[in-house]
Amino acid sequence: MRERLNTESLPRLPADVEKPIYDRSRLTPGIVHLGLGAFHRAHQAVVTDQAMQASGDLSWGILGVSLRRPATRDALTPQDGLYTLAVRDAGPNGQDREQLRVVGSVLRVMVAEEDPNAVLERIAYPQTRIVSLTVTEKGYCHEPATGHLRWDDPDILHDLENPHRPRSTIGILVHGLALRRERGLPPVTLLSCDNLRGNGDTLRSLVLSFALRVDVTLADWIDRHCTFPNSMVDRIVPVTLDQDRLRIAERLGVEDAWPVLGEPYLNWVIEDKFAAGRPAWDAQGGATFVSNAAPYERLKLRMVSGPHSTLAYLGAALGLQTMAEAVNTPALRGFVEAMMRLEIAPTLRGIPDVGLEEYRQRFLARIANPALPHPVSQVAMDGSQKIPQRLLDTIRDRLRAGHGIDRLSLAVAAWLHYLGGENEQGGRHEIQDPLAARLARLLSRSEVAARAAAPSQAPQRRAMVLSRFKPVFGELGESAEFVSSLTTHLEMLREHGVIRAVEAAT
């Protein structure tokens, strides 16, 4: 059995493996991070590691919190919080290449479900200055179409009644901040790194809404003292497979129970609004600080996230397994390129066409990275939480401007088609979505409506029922143009399949 990666084995790693050169025994915690998954460990944690190495300020160690499952804690605790980031791409000769870096910024991992009060205590720790989050879109317990907190969510209801044992992200934050105020401690920065429209503004609204139900004076304290910077993070981080663990262990000469993978590209933009200081995240090109992150977020959501989801749903319907397979399918690539160039780019005012063209080409090359197989299923999950900001906002802008939405509405139809759970090869895929049960009932209602209509009216009735699902579509389902376009594309996908549908729309 191999030796485990840990503090003792660190000095014996191969010379070509990057590793912390600072004294980890001097690290003190300054950040509590909720949602210590692969995405965080491939961007914020590694940039924090680089920042401490460059600046010598070792007061920004990370106390990671897994909200539900203990797997990350169980993997990293025997490793003293150390883990490996494997950056993968293809070299000039077309062969896969991989650069390994052992990251040292994580001090400890906790599991909120096991001891929520301990997490609250860490948020109320005097040295804590930033509480950051990567809990995915569904972790905010909000309605995607409106951004409002779902007061009927079981975890939110539980947390209003159980301040010492909260389960939701919002409940943990508010009750942790209540402890800080009660103890006379300074405010903190709450930093969302999730792929949401106005993620900091959204988090602020949800936290204040919940806090108002708890204590009006607490809400006022949070509003006046804490900060919620908007941010945008762009890096492809696929799931780690057993073959990755084996390959990385061979390179390291020790076992790493949970390494993470990432592409070379990393773009992290953050509004410089911090209540109690911040790490030198901009050292070594790790992050960019700006006064307004909205243009960067808009660019990423529309020119990366939207096409990414589109490829995932079309690829899943064809029975493809990886995003590289999807983007290398000529019909899909041609369709997505046309959608980006002709329907998405015109909504991004103020960015030169040459910049958008470069951005588009780089995105397509990133998806096609042969060294980084990214499962279609990973991108396709939680569509109800992603579609509103990735596709529907762009559609609304196009409709307001009197412009066509043919390709964008096909992308939305592809998601609805995907919810049927079956691909064109006869295989099935699991629908992973926080609204999965409601979406299944929605699909059933749409089929009942279609069967009750005259054959010529059935496609429109089906589309009308689907598009009036307000948690996702909001008022967009009332748009006759949107429903008409959606009707056409849903019927094409049902009757003729993905390739015919995208060729007709390209």
Side-chain angles (χ1 to χ4, degrees):
M1 187 173 180
R2 284 187 194 274
E3 180 184 10
R4 194 74 170 263
L5 173 66
N6 56 32
T7 303
E8 290 185 3
S9 63
L10 195 59
R12 297 191 294 275
L13 297 181
D16 63 345
V17 174
E18 296 181 58
K19 46 189 171 290
I21 59 173
Y22 51 83
D23 182 357
R24 290 189 78 236
S25 69
R26 294 177 49 232
L27 274 183
T28 56
I31 300 170
V32 172
H33 184 82
L34 306 183
L36 196 79
F39 187 58
H40 165 75
R41 292 196 285 134
H43 92 272
Q44 185 183 341
V46 71
V47 175
T48 302
D49 186 63
Q50 292 170 335
M52 292 191 294
Q53 192 149 293
S55 68
D57 181 356
L58 303 185
S59 65
W60 294 105
I62 297 171
L63 291 169
V65 179
S66 293
L67 296 177
R68 294 283 188 267
R69 292 183 287 273
T72 305
R73 187 269 316 276
D74 294 347
L76 297 192
T77 297
Q79 299 180 180
D80 304 320
L82 295 168
Y83 66 91
T84 311
L85 169 65
V87 174
R88 293 179 57 80
D89 66 352
N93 59 0
Q95 297 297 309
D96 292 357
R97 59 184 179 183
E98 180 174 71
Q99 176 61 49
L100 302 185
R101 178 189 183 96
V102 173
V103 179
S105 55
V106 177
L107 284 169
R108 180 184 171 194
V109 184
M110 309 167 69
V111 181
E113 190 169 75
E114 293 179 358
D115 192 353
N117 194 60
V119 178
L120 302 184
E121 288 290 339
R122 282 299 178 176
I123 292 174
Y125 194 60
Q127 289 174 279
T128 298
R129 287 169 283 169
I130 295 173
V131 181
S132 53
L133 301 82
T134 48
V135 294
T136 75
E137 296 92 340
K138 65 186 174 186
Y140 289 77
C141 299
H142 73 312
E143 190 172 85
T146 65
H148 296 157
L149 198 62
R150 295 201 315 271
W151 293 108
D152 60 347
D153 184 283
D155 287 345
I156 294 296
L157 291 170
H158 171 274
D159 293 354
L160 287 170
E161 299 296 326
N162 297 275
H164 301 296
R165 296 192 61 81
R167 296 194 298 226
S168 73
T169 300
I170 303 303
I172 288 170
L173 291 175
V174 171
H175 292 309
L177 291 173
L179 274 183
R180 287 192 73 85
R181 186 183 71 123
E182 180 183 309
R183 295 172 183 178
L185 295 171
V188 294
T189 298
L190 292 96
L191 176 63
S192 170
C193 297
D194 282 302
N195 204 16
L196 294 169
R197 175 180 56 237
N199 54 12
D201 295 334
T202 297
L203 179 61
R204 177 180 178 275
S205 174
L206 299 173
V207 164
L208 291 177
S209 294
F210 189 96
L212 279 170
R213 295 280 185 101
V214 174
D215 180 348
V216 172
T217 62
L218 171 63
D220 181 64
W221 181 83
I222 295 170
D223 189 27
R224 286 187 293 111
H225 298 293
C226 295
T227 58
F228 297 80
N230 292 302
S231 70
M232 181 280 291
V233 189
D234 190 3
R235 185 173 228 174
I236 294 173
V237 182
V239 65
T240 303
L241 303 176
D242 286 341
Q243 63 210 48
D244 300 312
R245 291 181 174 87
L246 291 172
R247 184 186 66 254
I248 290 167
E250 288 292 330
R251 286 276 310 279
L252 294 175
V254 296
E255 179 190 352
D256 182 347
W258 206 327
V260 294
L261 312 180
E263 62 176 331
Y265 182 82
L266 170 61
N267 189 14
W268 188 19
V269 177
I270 317 166
E271 290 176 349
D272 204 354
K273 302 173 183 175
F274 288 80
R278 58 169 173 79
W281 279 327
D282 48 347
Q284 300 183 3
T288 302
F289 290 101
V290 298
S291 59
N292 179 16
Y296 303 90
E297 168 207 281
R298 185 184 181 94
L299 176 64
K300 192 253 178 157
L301 283 172
R302 297 193 178 194
M303 287 288 277
V304 172
S305 302
H308 211 197
S309 288
T310 302
L311 282 167
Y313 297 125
L314 294 171
L318 287 175
L320 304 179
Q321 298 301 308
T322 70
M323 295 303 297
E325 289 175 335
V327 79
N328 287 325
T329 300
L332 301 195
R333 184 185 181 102
F335 169 76
V336 167
E337 282 190 292
M339 184 179 76
M340 295 172 76
R341 187 176 68 253
L342 300 175
E343 294 189 6
I344 297 176
T347 71
L348 296 167
R349 295 179 296 276
I351 301 174
D353 288 344
V354 63
L356 290 174
E357 175 66 17
E358 179 185 348
Y359 201 86
R360 180 171 62 84
Q361 294 295 345
R362 181 170 57 201
F363 162 73
L364 294 169
R366 290 167 58 200
I367 300 302
N369 183 349
L372 202 67
H374 197 184
V376 162
S377 58
Q378 186 181 357
V379 181
M381 66 189 301
D382 301 339
S384 70
Q385 313 298 298
K386 296 173 178 177
I387 291 295
Q389 60 260 20
R390 295 186 178 198
L391 293 168
L392 301 186
D393 283 348
T394 315
I395 288 174
R396 290 185 179 93
D397 281 357
R398 298 278 299 176
L399 290 174
R400 279 192 289 266
H403 296 152
I405 57 168
D406 195 41
R407 298 167 187 85
L408 286 161
S409 58
L410 172 53
V412 177
W415 170 59
L416 293 167
H417 186 65
Y418 163 85
L419 293 176
E422 188 171 332
N423 65 50
E424 294 178 15
Q425 309 306 314
R428 295 198 60 82
H429 48 258
E430 179 186 0
I431 305 303
Q432 298 182 63
D433 194 291
L435 302 185
R438 295 178 67 183
L439 291 168
R441 292 194 294 270
L442 176 70
L443 289 178
S444 179
R445 288 201 307 273
S446 74
E447 292 306 316
V448 170
R451 287 195 296 270
S456 62
Q457 296 298 311
Q460 185 182 30
R461 290 291 180 88
R462 183 181 292 111
M464 286 179 66
V465 171
L466 294 172
S467 64
R468 289 181 180 172
F469 185 61
K470 287 193 177 295
V472 172
F473 294 102
E475 82 296 341
L476 188 59
E478 306 298 324
S479 165
E481 184 175 350
F482 174 64
V483 174
S484 175
S485 187
L486 195 64
T487 300
T488 299
H489 295 309
L490 281 169
E491 193 65 8
M492 279 292 292
L493 288 166
R494 285 171 60 91
E495 296 298 322
H496 303 290
V498 166
I499 300 300
R500 286 277 300 278
V502 299
E503 287 177 344
T506 302

